[in-house]
């Protein structure tokens, strides 16, 4: 499809812009400790990072290429859903354009994230469900198990999709879906594929459950909690065409008419929104259902006469303009100094810069230590992003492996028992001051842009006089925040 192809070219051209995002640094480190599960995610993103880093070490283009392909696929699947719903070429093109006009679609195409495979699998699941409703061919149902299994290797969010879907189907139909043996065959595929991850979670105390409270607390800061959930969710959709088409698609699905057989998908979306709203989830957790709403809206707009400003807002030229306008929000088109300058609220840009500078300053302090002390010094950070940066850029600067008690990094292991001194990046937590005799601040970290809150203004500390073995002390440093 032309729209997906153009998007792919843009993502490829700008793949190297800015630097490595904090989560990407974490995925690269997690790939070096590949496992069936992690404290805050499944193994898919670390696996992709391991493969791309092994084939093309240090290449941001290679690291982000899987997301590029998956984002193109999301656009294509949205158009396919429109076709399944009876949309002609114009409806399919409109559906594809408004998908590209979403800043969330664009942003996730630029980075290696857990969101991109999750959204793609949700979109594929919706496409398969629409296809089954239209054809009643049970051969498509086991594939629902496959796409769900893949989604769960990234995040466990799709469990919420199936809870909401089951309720919607029971209430609004088609109830016969739940009686199909092939659907339960797909469920068996999902369980078998997900069992290793579940066993990992069970064996490590179910850290994913602990992440629920952390995410809810972060949500209060990032999007205003309950009050900010829906407005932020709608901002992710995009302006004008994308928002109008999505809301129109939801309304038409719930209203009935020609889309009556697919009404359960509209109710599923509302159920998913309610579920994550109550659970304190993030607004983008529901983005996997945007494609089916965009497709429904595009198809219905091609069937009805639209008057007034609505006619212009959903026309193909305006959809193109919306996509172009949103590209300035979702893609790194501007120079990094403009996008991530002092005072910027752009979360992605500000946390994609400054990591090499962090590493330079830590390396300077590390190499300033006497040789004998340096041999007994470990690197420890308060944030998994900081450790990811030191592990990414540190070896070229002569730094040892970094450690952190934050998120999944805690499971990567404690410093060696030979390390009785710690060079610590972060504000002095109780775990640090309780575990060492003296804690001295060496400097305050700063970057040129003064934009990265995980670097700028962060103390660099030297902790000496360890009070016990690392086997005894390491549990104190564990935190999911």
């Amino acid at each position: 499809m032309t729209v997906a192809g153009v998007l792919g070219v843009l993502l490829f051209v700008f793949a190297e812009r800015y630097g490595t995002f904090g989560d990407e640094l974490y995925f690269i480190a997690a790939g070096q400790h590949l496992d069936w599960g992690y404290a805050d995610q499944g193994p898919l993103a670390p696996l992709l990072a391991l493969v791309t880093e092994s084939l093309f070490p240090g290449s941001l283009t290679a690291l982000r290429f899987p997301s590029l392909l998956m984002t193109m696929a999301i656009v294509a699947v949205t158009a396919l859903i429109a076709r399944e719903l009876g949309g002609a070429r114009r409806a399919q093109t409109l559906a594809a354009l408004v998908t590209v006009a979403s800043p969330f679609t664009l942003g996730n195409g630029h980075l290696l994230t857990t969101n991109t495979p999750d959204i793609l699998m949700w979109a594929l699941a919706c496409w398969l469900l629409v296809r089954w409703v239209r054809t009643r061919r049970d051969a498509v149902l086991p594939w629902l198990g496959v796409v769900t299994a893949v989604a769960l290797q990234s995040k466990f969010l799709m469990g919420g999709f199936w809870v909401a879907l089951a309720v919607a189907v029971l209430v609004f139909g088609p109830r016969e879906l739940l009686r199909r043996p092939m659907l339960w065959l797909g469920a068996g595929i999902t369980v078998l594929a997900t069992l290793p991850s579940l066993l990992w979670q069970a064996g490590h105390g179910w850290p994913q459950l602990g992440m629920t409270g952390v995410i809810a607390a972060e949500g209060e800061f990032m999007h205003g909690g309950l009050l900010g959930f829906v407005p932020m969710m709608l901002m992710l959709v995009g302006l004008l065409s994308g928002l109008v088409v999505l809301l129109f698609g939801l309304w038409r699905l719930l209203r009935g008419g020609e889309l009556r057989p697919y009404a359960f998908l509209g109710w599923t979306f509302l159920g998913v929104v309610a579920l994550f709203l109550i659970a304190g989830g993030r607004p983008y957790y529901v983005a996997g259902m945007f494609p089916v709403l965009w497709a429904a809206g595009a198809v219905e707009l091609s069937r009805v006469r639209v008057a007034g400003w609505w006619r212009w807002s959903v026309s193909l030229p305006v959809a193109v303009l919306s996509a172009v306008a949103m590209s300035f929000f979702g893609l790194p088109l501007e120079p990094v100094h403009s996008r991530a300058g002092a005072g910027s609220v752009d979360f992605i840009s500000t946390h994609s810069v400054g990591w090499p500078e962090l590493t330079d300053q830590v390396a300077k302090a590390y190499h300033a230590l006497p040789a004998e002390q340096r041999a007994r010094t470990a690197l420890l950070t308060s944030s998994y992003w900081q450790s990811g940066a030191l592990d990414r850029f540190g070896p070229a600067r002569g730094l040892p492996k970094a450690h952190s008690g934050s998120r999944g990094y805690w499971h990567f292991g404690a410093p060696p028992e030979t390390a009785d001194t710690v060079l610590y990046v972060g504000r002095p937590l109780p775990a640090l001051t309780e575990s060492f005799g003296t804690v001295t601040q060496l400097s305050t970290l700063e970057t040129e842009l003064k934009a990265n809150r995980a670097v700028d203004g962060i103390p660099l500390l030297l902790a000496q006089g360890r009070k016990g073995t690392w086997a005894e002390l390491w549990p104190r440093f564990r935190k999911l925040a």
Side-chain angles (χ1 to χ4, degrees):
M1 175 179 287
T2 303
V3 176
V6 171
L7 174 61
V9 170
L10 283 173
L11 291 172
F12 184 83
V13 169
F14 292 102
E16 294 282 340
R17 291 294 289 269
Y18 304 166
T20 315
F21 183 55
D23 279 348
E24 293 177 311
L25 295 168
Y26 173 46
F27 299 149
I28 293 170
Q32 301 301 316
H33 300 84
L34 197 61
D35 210 334
W36 287 109
Y38 298 88
D40 49 359
Q41 62 176 316
L44 183 55
L47 176 61
L48 293 174
L50 175 63
V51 172
T52 55
E53 277 292 294
S54 299
L55 296 175
F56 305 98
S59 170
L60 275 179
T61 299
L63 181 69
R64 294 165 174 173
F65 196 68
S67 285
L68 180 157
L69 295 177
M70 286 186 281
T71 302
M72 292 176 62
I74 291 169
V75 176
V77 170
T78 306
L80 288 174
I81 296 173
R83 187 172 71 178
E84 286 293 330
L85 291 173
R89 192 173 189 85
R90 184 182 184 280
Q92 295 172 39
T93 302
L94 178 60
L97 283 171
V98 295
T99 305
V100 173
S102 162
F104 192 66
T105 302
L106 295 170
N108 280 287
H110 175 63
L111 302 174
L112 176 63
T113 74
T114 56
N115 299 323
T116 315
D118 193 56
I119 294 171
L120 176 58
M121 294 306 118
W122 283 51
L124 283 169
C126 290
W127 173 64
L128 291 167
L129 286 165
V130 169
R131 187 165 180 80
W132 179 83
V133 170
R134 186 180 68 82
T135 66
R136 287 302 197 272
R137 292 182 57 190
D138 287 358
V140 306
L141 296 179
W143 289 103
L144 287 167
V146 175
V147 299
T148 302
V150 174
L152 294 177
Q153 301 309 307
S154 184
K155 296 183 176 186
F156 286 140
L157 298 181
M158 202 165 186
F161 168 82
W162 281 106
V163 169
L165 180 78
V167 173
V169 169
L170 283 172
V171 176
F172 302 101
R175 296 184 183 89
E176 63 181 288
L177 172 65
L178 301 179
R179 297 192 295 267
R180 298 291 191 175
M182 297 295 273
L183 178 69
W184 293 104
L185 173 62
I189 293 171
T190 298
V191 170
L192 288 175
T194 313
L195 189 59
S197 292
L198 294 175
L199 291 174
W200 187 95
Q201 290 289 327
H204 292 79
W206 295 99
Q208 284 269 2
L209 295 179
M211 284 298 302
T212 303
V214 174
I215 290 170
E218 290 177 349
E220 291 291 334
F221 170 74
M222 295 177 66
H223 56 75
L226 293 176
L227 294 178
F229 187 97
V230 172
M232 182 63 70
M233 177 189 72
L234 296 177
M235 286 181 62
L236 300 175
V237 174
L239 299 176
L240 202 55
S241 294
L243 184 59
V244 170
V245 173
L246 182 134
L247 293 177
F248 188 72
L250 175 61
W251 176 61
R252 298 292 286 190
L253 280 171
L254 300 178
R255 181 175 177 271
E258 291 191 51
L259 293 184
R260 184 179 298 277
Y262 311 100
F264 69 97
L265 289 170
W267 291 107
T268 298
F269 171 74
L270 294 180
V272 167
V273 171
L275 187 63
F276 289 127
L277 190 61
I278 294 169
R282 294 174 179 170
Y284 60 78
Y285 285 2
V286 307
M289 293 211 68
F290 290 171
V292 71
L293 300 182
W294 279 322
V299 170
E300 287 295 280
L301 284 165
S302 69
R303 291 172 175 163
V304 300
R305 294 182 61 84
V306 182
W309 70 271
W310 285 70
R311 179 173 66 251
W312 298 106
S313 70
V314 296
S315 65
L316 291 181
V318 173
V320 172
L321 290 175
S322 296
V324 171
M326 287 300 100
S327 68
F328 286 92
F329 292 92
L331 293 176
L333 303 182
E334 303 169 81
V336 66
H337 285 76
S338 300
R339 194 70 172 266
S344 172
V345 295
D346 186 332
F347 186 81
I348 301 296
S349 300
T350 56
H351 293 91
S352 297
V353 298
W355 302 119
E357 293 171 271
L358 161 69
T359 310
D360 286 339
Q361 292 170 69
V362 172
K364 181 179 179 180
Y366 178 78
H367 290 296
L369 297 174
E372 181 183 351
Q373 185 182 22
R374 192 163 61 241
R376 296 181 285 104
T377 299
L379 301 183
L380 187 60
T381 74
S382 62
S383 165
Y384 63 108
W385 281 4
Q386 296 161 348
S387 278
L390 294 177
D391 280 339
R392 172 72 160 176
F393 303 108
R397 295 161 172 82
L399 290 177
K401 173 181 167 50
H403 304 269
S404 180
S406 175
R407 299 262 174 117
Y409 239 97
W410 184 86
H411 295 281
F412 300 165
E417 290 295 343
T418 56
D420 59 8
T421 301
V422 158
L423 193 58
Y424 185 84
V425 178
R427 294 176 177 85
L429 300 174
L432 184 70
T433 55
E434 293 168 2
S435 301
F436 289 86
T438 62
V439 177
T440 306
Q441 182 168 339
L442 301 180
S443 64
T444 299
L445 302 175
E446 292 184 356
T447 65
E448 180 184 354
L449 292 178
K450 295 180 173 55
N452 191 334
R453 285 175 291 180
V455 181
D456 288 285
I458 300 297
L460 180 61
L461 310 170
L462 185 67
Q464 303 176 83
R466 196 182 69 199
K467 300 177 180 179
T469 67
W470 277 111
E472 296 166 341
L473 300 177
W474 193 233
R476 299 181 183 178
F477 289 86
R478 185 179 185 180
K479 62 188 183 76
L480 289 174

